[in-house]
Amino acid sequence: MTGAEPADPVAATDDDAAELIAQLRELAGADPVEVRQVVAEVLAALDRAAGGALREHLPETIRVDAGLDAASST
């Protein structure tokens, strides 16, 4: 490969995460309900990409909110 690789891939990932958080916060200021929907859709897509493994690592309330788990009747 002739392209330069990032000096620190972890720092690049941290920068990406910080940018995503900033964008979600900006969107939340405009319409928190819309942000909640976007986050639910992203979590569902990530779960599908992970073959359903992501939901095992999420709290029940988030799974239910994202439509990844049926509400349990306790």
Side-chain angles (χ1 to χ4, degrees), residues 9 17-18 30 36-37 43 52 54 58 63-65 69:
R36 197 174 185 108
Q37 180 61 37
L43 288 174
L54 176 64
L58 298 172
R63 289 192 315 265
V64 171
D65 200 40
D69 202 22

Side-chain angles (χ1 to χ4, degrees), residues 10-40:
V10 173
T13 302
D14 289 347
D15 290 344
D16 291 344
E19 181 179 343
L20 179 58
I21 290 167
Q23 290 174 353
L24 287 172
R25 283 185 177 149
E26 183 178 326
L27 183 59
D31 187 355
V33 174
E34 185 176 332
V35 171
R36 197 174 185 108
Q37 180 61 37
V38 169
V39 170

